C-alpha cells in the first residue's frame, strides 16, 4: 500500500495566491514565461523558469540559471510572499474547467515506492530533461512543482476529503486561462486519517503527468543520500482516476521526401480509409483527423489489432507503427525533428495554423487515450509511445512547496 505523507508547505499569502500561482515549467516557452511574469514580481515562474530574470541570450541550462532559481525562492520566503505552515498537513486541491471538476490530495510520496514501481510509469524519460530537473530541484532545495498522480478511487478517501472541504478554502480564484483553483488546508487529525486510508486501501499510484520530475526526484535523493533533509519524498497531487480528463496529444509531420499532398494521401490510403470531413477531431477510437493539402480528412484504420495487448491497441501506437514509422521513417519520435507534438488544449485550429504557417506536411489529430488504458498499460509494466496523454487542467505551481 502507498504512502501519501503530510508535509509543512510553503504557501503564498491568500491575497497574492493568484499572482503566485503559475503554469508548470514545461508547458510554456521562455518567451511565454517572461510575458506571463511581466509586472508580477511574486509569480512563481521566477522560480520554475528563472532564466526569465537573466539576459535573453542566457542558456536555460547554464549553472547561473539553477542558482537563480534557488535565490528567487529564498527571496520569496525572506519577504514573506511564501510562509511555511506550522505543522505537517495534507491539502485538498480542486480544479474546475467548465463542467469538469477534479479534487486531489496534496502530499509527499515516496522515492523508494517510485523506484520499486509501486508508483507506476507509462512513458520513457529523456536524459537531458532528467538532467535539467535534477539540477533545478537540487539547486532550489525543494520540490517546487508537483507531480500529477492518479489512483483507483476509494470511497472512504472520497468521503474523508469531502469532509475536509466543508470549511472555507484558503484560496479560491480563477486563473487567466479560465480554470478555477481552490485549496483547503486539512487539519492535522484529518490529515493523519487520510494518510492512513491511503496506506490501507491504495495499492498503487500512477504517474499521469510529471515523469521527468519523478525521475529527477529519485536522482536528487541518490545525490543527497546520507545528508540531512527529507529528500526521500517528492511533491504530488493524487487524484482519483475516475475524475480525470485526457485530451488528444496531436502530431505534426514533415515528409523528408517532399511528396505532394496527393502522393501522401495515396500512401496514407494504404493503412487508412480516408474521407473529407468538416469535423477534424476524431469521434471514436480507431480514427484520426488528418490536415493535408489545405483540408481535413477523416481516417479510419483498416487493420484490426489485438485488443489484449494494452499498448498495441492504443491509437497513438497505431499512428506510430502504421503511419509514422513505415510511411515517414520516424522510428524514434522522441528525438526525430520530423515530428512535433501539440497538446490537446490547443486543438485542431492550432494544427492547421502550424501546417499552413510552418510548412509541415500534415497534422494528425488524435482521439484521446482513455484513463483506463493508461492504468492497464502501467499495470502490465509496459510503456506508451511518447506524448500519449495530455491531462487538462494542469496543476498550478507555487501554491504548496515542501523544502528538504
Amino acid at each position: 500500500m502507498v504512502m501519501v505523507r503530510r508535509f509543512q508547505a510553503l504557501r503564498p499569502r491568500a491575497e497574492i495566491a493568484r499572482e503566485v500561482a503559475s503554469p508548470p515549467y514545461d508547458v510554456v516557452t521562455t518567451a511565454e514565461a517572461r510575458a506571463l511574469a511581466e509586472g508580477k514580481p511574486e509569480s512563481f515562474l521566477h522560480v520554475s523558469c528563472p532564466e526569465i530574470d537573466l539576459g535573453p541570450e542566457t542558456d536555460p541550462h547554464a549553472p547561473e540559471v539553477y542558482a537563480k532559481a534557488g535565490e528567487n525562492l529564498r527571496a520569496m520566503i525572506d519577504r514573506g510572499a511564501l510562509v511555511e505552515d506550522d505543522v505537517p498537513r495534507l491539502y485538498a486541491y480542486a480544479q474546475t474547467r467548465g463542467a469538469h471538476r477534479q479534487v486531489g490530495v496534496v502530499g509527499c510520496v515516496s522515492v523508494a515506492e517510485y523506484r520499486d514501481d509501486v508508483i507506476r510509469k507509462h512513458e520513457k524519460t529523456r536524459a537531458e530533461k532528467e538532467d535539467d530537473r535534477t539540477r533545478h530541484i537540487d539547486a532550489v532545495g525543494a520540490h517546487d512543482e508537483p507531480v500529477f498522480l492518479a489512483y483507483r478511487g476509494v470511497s472512504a478517501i472520497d468521503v474523508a476529503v469531502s469532509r475536509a472541504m466543508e470549511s472555507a478554502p484558503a484560496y479560491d480564484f480563477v486563473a487567466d486561462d479560465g480554470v478555477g483553483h481552490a485549496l483547503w488546508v486539512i487539519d492535522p487529525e484529518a490529515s493523519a486519517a487520510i494518510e492512513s486510508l491511503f496506506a490501507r486501501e491504495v495499492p498503487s499510484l500512477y504517474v499521469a503527468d510529471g515523469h521527468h520530475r519523478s525521475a529527477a526526484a529519485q536522482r536528487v535523493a541518490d545525490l543527497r543520500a546520507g545528508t540531512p533533509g527529507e529528500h526521500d519524498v517528492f511533491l504530488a497531487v493524487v487524484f482519483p482516476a475516475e475524475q480525470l480528463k485526457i485530451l488528444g496529444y496531436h502530431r505534426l509531420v514533415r515528409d523528408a521526401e517532399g511528396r505532394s499532398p496527393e502522393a501522401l494521401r495515396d500512401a496514407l490510403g494504404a493503412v487508412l480509409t480516408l474521407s473529407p470531413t468538416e469535423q477534424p477531431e476524431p469521434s471514436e477510437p480507431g480514427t484520426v483527423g488528418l490536415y493535408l493539402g489545405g483540408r481535413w480528412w477523416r481516417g479510419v484504420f483498416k487493420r484490426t489489432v489485438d485488443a489484449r495487448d494494452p499498448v498495441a491497441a492504443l491509437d497513438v501506437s497505431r499512428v506510430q507503427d502504421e503511419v509514422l514509422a513505415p510511411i515517414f521513417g520516424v522510428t524514434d519520435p522522441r528525438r526525430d525533428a520530423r515530428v512535433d507534438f501539440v497538446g490537446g488544449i490547443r486543438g485542431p485550429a492550432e494544427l492547421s495554423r502550424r501546417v499552413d504557417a510552418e510548412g509541415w506536411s500534415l497534422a494528425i489529430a488524435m482521439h484521446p487515450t482513455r484513463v483506463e488504458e493508461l492504468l492497464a498499460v502501467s499495470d502490465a509494466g509496459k510503456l506508451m509511445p511518447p506524448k500519449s496523454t495530455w491531462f487538462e487542467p494542469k496543476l498550478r505551481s507555487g501554491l504548496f512547496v515542501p523544502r528538504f
Side-chain angles (χ1 to χ4, degrees):
M1 299 301 176
V2 303
M3 182 191 82
V4 178
R5 193 164 84 190
R6 291 160 281 174
F7 69 103
Q8 285 177 261
L10 287 166
R11 297 191 293 113
R13 303 192 313 272
E15 66 272 18
I16 62 170
R18 187 179 186 279
E19 179 182 329
V20 171
S22 64
Y25 83 98
D26 55 351
V27 302
V28 293
T29 65
T30 297
E32 290 170 335
R34 186 173 285 115
L36 288 169
E38 186 176 2
K40 298 178 180 178
E42 306 301 359
S43 170
F44 204 73
L45 288 167
H46 296 286
V47 177
S48 58
C49 300
E51 66 272 16
I52 66 176
D53 293 327
L54 301 171
E57 73 289 345
T58 303
D59 179 352
H61 305 115
E64 58 266 30
V65 173
Y66 302 108
K68 187 66 174 175
E71 176 188 325
N72 286 349
L73 179 63
R74 290 188 293 273
M76 292 184 75
I77 297 169
D78 290 345
R79 62 178 177 263
L82 296 176
V83 180
E84 192 167 64
D85 279 338
D86 54 346
V87 295
R89 305 167 182 266
L90 296 176
Y91 305 83
Y93 178 29
Q95 297 176 290
T96 306
R97 186 185 196 95
H100 176 73
R101 190 169 190 260
Q102 58 193 37
V103 179
V105 174
V106 184
C108 283
V109 297
S110 167
V111 167
E113 290 178 359
Y114 172 81
R115 183 182 290 113
D116 294 341
D117 209 35
V118 176
I119 300 175
R120 297 181 176 176
K121 308 88 174 166
H122 68 266
E123 285 186 4
K124 290 182 179 179
T125 56
R126 294 172 58 178
E128 66 272 19
K129 292 189 71 174
E130 272 193 41
D131 291 344
D132 169 59
R133 284 302 95 182
T134 299
R135 295 172 69 188
H136 178 90
I137 293 168
D138 193 46
V140 171
H143 289 287
D144 59 321
E145 293 192 291
V147 174
F148 189 144
L149 300 181
Y151 67 99
R152 289 187 169 88
V154 175
S155 58
I157 296 177
D158 294 342
V159 170
V161 173
S162 294
R163 287 175 180 164
M165 296 168 62
E166 290 174 353
S167 59
Y171 314 134
D172 190 358
F173 63 89
V174 177
D176 291 340
D177 60 1
V179 176
H181 301 267
L183 186 77
W184 286 260
V185 179
I186 303 177
D187 70 61
E189 184 177 350
S191 294
I194 294 170
E195 190 176 296
S196 295
L197 283 169
F198 274 99
R200 293 199 310 269
E201 303 290 341
V202 179
S204 301
L205 300 173
Y206 300 83
V207 180
D209 199 358
H211 283 82
H212 291 94
R213 275 163 279 178
S214 303
Q218 177 180 320
R219 289 176 56 179
V220 171
D222 292 341
L223 285 172
R224 293 187 171 226
T227 65
E230 292 189 327
H231 41 71
D232 58 340
V233 296
F234 58 99
L235 178 63
V237 186
V238 186
F239 291 94
E242 298 77 11
Q243 294 184 13
L244 300 181
K245 184 175 183 179
I246 302 178
L247 302 182
Y249 215 143
H250 312 306
R251 275 73 172 139
L252 291 164
V253 187
R254 199 179 305 278
D255 180 35
E257 298 178 22
R259 286 171 285 186
S260 69
E262 292 75 20
L264 288 176
R265 194 165 68 244
D266 289 343
L268 292 164
V271 295
L272 296 164
T273 300
L274 299 174
S275 57
T277 184
E278 301 300 324
Q279 301 293 331
E281 292 185 336
S283 58
E284 58 190 340
T287 65
V288 294
L290 295 169
Y291 186 72
L292 174 65
R295 69 161 306 151
W296 282 100
W297 303 80
R298 181 176 187 262
V300 181
F301 283 102
K302 295 180 177 180
R303 185 175 67 86
T304 58
V305 293
D306 184 354
R308 295 171 298 180
D309 185 330
V311 176
L314 296 172
D315 282 356
V316 286
S317 295
R318 303 194 68 177
V319 165
Q320 176 58 42
D321 297 340
E322 299 181 42
V323 176
L324 295 182
I327 297 176
F328 296 97
V330 176
T331 57
D332 185 358
R334 296 163 68 228
R335 294 181 173 85
D336 199 316
R338 292 173 293 175
V339 64
D340 198 8
F341 303 92
V342 177
I345 193 63
R346 299 182 185 249
E350 176 69 2
L351 292 175
S352 58
R353 185 197 69 79
R354 288 192 60 185
V355 170
D356 293 340
E358 300 175 11
W360 294 92
S361 302
L362 77 154
I364 306 175
M366 302 295 306
H367 189 270
T369 301
R370 293 178 293 115
V371 174
E372 296 82 0
E373 292 175 318
L374 181 152
L375 301 182
V377 170
S378 300
D379 283 340
K382 296 189 175 185
L383 299 174
M384 294 181 176
K387 309 298 185 183
S388 294
T389 57
W390 180 278
F391 284 87
E392 195 67 37
K394 298 292 185 184
L395 306 178
R396 286 267 152 168
S397 301
L399 294 177
F400 30 79
V401 177
R403 287 192 286 185
F404 297 155

